[in-house]
Amino acid sequence: MQERAASTRQAVLEGAAASFEKFGYGTASLSTIIAHAGVSKGAMYFHFSSKEELAQAVIDAQLTMAATATAVIVDHTPKALDALILVTKELGRQLQTESISRGGMRLTLESAIADGPHAGAFEEWIVKIGDLIERAQAEGDIVDGVDPTALGRYIVSSFTGVHTVSEMVTGRADLQQRLTEMWQILLPAVVPRRRLPRLLALAEDPVIDWSDR
């Protein structure tokens, strides 16, 4: 019974994510969410009492998915800058293949105004990436003099912009190529020349699915 309830809740979440991605928070309705989820109205209300609660649950699930993958990649990757490159590629993969990721991202971007309820998610990512950059500096993969927080903010901004343009132009079909381009442009500016070939090769590598690790 518990397994069935969990399966129904996940179906509702994914249906809500698909609806929010397609219509945005303002236009998505409970009827469109139910249609995308393929469940009854009673099943939806058993787990969620409102559209607002559903939207928050989708955002939370997307952040958890991203944070879990990040932790796995960092744990499996000895070098901090390698891990950072792989994290951006994995987040791109999630946006290409996971409805929760796409719906959560749209909701976050729609509401991420100054002092908004989800603006803090960007600040958290800037801090996490800044920590990786600080480690990369200690490992000799980032040149001295680079401000880890400033570079972290730039990478978050670049990723968000690259994703948004890819979504608008190709429906994210070219997102991995555009992320590779992002790193090809950025790395020569902050990486010692002797470390550059290995890191550029990593940015071009095929994407690894970290979801089952």
Side-chain angles (χ1 to χ4, degrees):
M1 194 69 175
Q2 270 187 330
E3 186 175 339
R4 185 175 178 182
S7 177
T8 301
R9 185 182 189 278
Q10 185 63 25
V12 174
L13 263 184
E14 291 181 3
S19 188
F20 289 135
E21 179 199 1
K22 183 175 181 179
F23 301 109
Y25 180 82
T27 305
S29 66
L30 291 178
S31 60
T32 64
I33 290 169
I34 290 168
H36 278 96
V39 301
S40 68
K41 184 182 291 188
M44 186 196 70
Y45 277 115
F46 178 81
H47 294 282
F48 302 99
S49 62
S50 65
K51 185 171 79 168
E52 182 180 9
E53 185 180 344
L54 262 170
Q56 186 59 57
V58 170
I59 290 172
D60 290 344
Q62 186 258 325
L63 293 175
T64 297
M65 183 187 298
T68 299
T70 298
V72 170
I73 292 169
V74 171
D75 286 347
H76 282 75
T77 310
K79 302 277 282 182
L81 188 51
D82 294 33
L84 178 53
I85 293 169
L86 292 173
V87 164
T88 62
K89 302 284 271 187
E90 164 61 13
L91 296 184
R93 184 200 68 78
Q94 290 181 6
L95 286 164
Q96 287 179 307
T97 63
E98 306 287 347
S99 61
I100 293 289
S101 182
R102 294 191 299 271
M105 179 63 79
R106 174 158 184 177
L107 288 167
T108 299
L109 290 175
E110 282 185 347
S111 62
I113 57 174
D115 298 323
H118 307 300
F122 286 94
E123 290 297 334
E124 289 177 15
W125 281 111
I126 290 167
V127 169
K128 289 179 181 179
I129 291 175
D131 289 343
L132 284 173
I133 292 166
E134 194 168 358
R135 269 186 54 200
Q137 274 185 319
E139 294 167 353
D141 282 340
I142 298 286
V143 296
D144 293 336
V146 171
D147 183 333
T149 300
L151 182 54
R153 186 180 299 110
Y154 183 79
I155 290 171
V156 170
S157 302
S158 297
F159 179 91
T160 303
V162 165
H163 157 253
T164 302
V165 173
S166 175
E167 179 185 1
M168 295 296 294
V169 174
T170 70
R172 305 184 191 86
D174 69 346
L175 181 52
Q176 293 300 331
Q177 295 97 310
R178 302 292 81 81
L179 289 173
T180 294
E181 284 180 353
M182 181 187 84
W183 285 113
Q184 288 171 336
I185 293 167
L186 175 59
L187 289 172
V190 297
V191 171
R193 183 168 302 195
R194 67 187 184 281
R195 306 289 179 96
L196 198 51
R198 176 181 63 80
L199 291 161
L200 287 173
L202 180 64
E204 294 176 0
D205 276 351
V207 182
I208 300 171
D209 186 346
W210 296 88
S211 60
D212 60 351
R213 297 197 174 202

